[in-house]
């Protein structure tokens, strides 16, 4: 532990572990802005899955090693970019300059224990589904809120 009242940061990395980061996920600091399942067409294409577990973090919540070496794809010019490891090519996160927030995808980046569970994952549990509009590919009945787009900026479906 870092101090009696602090929680150690979570650790993450790309598939080959060339790109690493620390994630300050201490709930008392409120660094996490959102944890949700995203069903957007962009996330489906980027990750090759019907939906992705995404988390949004304040600017100071993530400490990258080798940030300057990461491959960057600007999907909204001057506003947002996706980050990939230059060695293995796996997606490791995203940056939104307009909102000053990081995107981290826990299943593909955060360290796991011997049984395959995400270390510290209980602090990050998703609370909703976003972009659950016409493009969603899988119907889910898990009791979580479902939003057509972004929460409180679109219609709540369930």
């Amino acid at each position: 532990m870092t101090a009696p009242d602090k929680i150690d940061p979570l650790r993450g990395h790309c598939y080959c572990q060339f790109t690493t980061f620390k994630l300050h996920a201490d709930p008392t600091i409120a660094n996490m802005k959102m944890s949700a399942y995203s069903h957007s067409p962009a996330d489906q294409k980027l990750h090759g899955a019907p939906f992705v577990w995404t988390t949004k973090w304040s600017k100071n919540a993530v400490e990258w090693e080798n940030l300057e070496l990461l491959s960057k794809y600007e999907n909204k010019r001057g506003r947002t970019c996706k980050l990939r490891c230059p060695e293995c090519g796996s997606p490791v996160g995203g940056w939104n300059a307009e909102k000053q927030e990081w995107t981290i995808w826990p299943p593909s980046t955060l360290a796991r224990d011997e049984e395959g569970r995400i270390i510290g994952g209980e602090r990050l549990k998703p609370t909703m589904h976003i972009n659950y509009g016409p493009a969603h590919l899988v119907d889910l009945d898990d009791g979580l809120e479902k939003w057509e787009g972004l929460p409180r900026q679109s219609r709540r479906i369930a």
Side-chain angles (χ1 to χ4, degrees), residues 88-157:
C88 66
S90 65
V92 292
W95 172 248
N96 185 318
E98 186 176 69
K99 295 179 181 178
Q100 293 287 293
E101 70 184 14
W102 294 105
T103 299
I104 298 292
W105 304 291
S108 60
T109 58
L110 291 180
R112 295 175 181 255
D113 64 18
E114 308 78 44
E115 295 176 359
R117 293 179 300 225
I118 295 172
I119 298 169
E122 67 282 352
R123 293 184 245 164
L124 312 176
K125 289 196 184 284
T127 58
M128 67 186 89
H129 292 265
I130 60 173
N131 305 307
Y132 199 81
H136 84 275
L137 301 174
V138 179
D139 293 326
L140 299 166
D141 185 19
D142 57 10
L144 298 179
E145 292 179 353
K146 292 176 179 65
W147 294 86
E148 194 169 74
L150 294 176
R152 292 163 281 291
Q153 297 176 20
S154 65
R155 184 172 66 94
R156 183 175 169 186
I157 298 169

Side-chain angles (χ1 to χ4, degrees), residues 44 52 60 120:
Q44 292 168 359
V52 63
N60 297 323

Side-chain angles (χ1 to χ4, degrees), residues 42 73-82 95-99 150:
Y73 168 70
E74 286 192 46
N75 54 329
K76 293 183 181 168
R77 189 145 316 277
R79 216 174 58 149
T80 63
C81 70
K82 303 296 183 200
W95 172 248
N96 185 318
E98 186 176 69
K99 295 179 181 178
L150 294 176

Side-chain angles (χ1 to χ4, degrees), residues 13-76:
H13 54 80
C14 64
Y15 184 74
C16 74
Q17 299 188 24
F18 174 80
T19 301
T20 62
F21 63 89
K22 290 180 188 175
L23 180 60
H24 298 280
D26 185 333
T28 62
I29 301 173
N31 274 335
M32 187 169 65
K33 297 180 175 188
M34 179 174 63
S35 181
Y37 296 115
S38 174
H39 300 258
S40 77
D43 282 333
Q44 292 168 359
K45 287 183 178 192
L46 179 68
H47 298 278
F51 60 95
V52 63
W53 176 12
T54 187
T55 56
K56 305 290 184 180
W57 298 88
S58 64
K59 182 179 181 176
N60 297 323
V62 185
E63 286 181 54
W64 295 95
E65 288 184 34
N66 301 324
L67 178 61
E68 68 284 353
L69 300 178
L70 294 181
S71 172
K72 296 169 183 72
Y73 168 70
E74 286 192 46
N75 54 329
K76 293 183 181 168

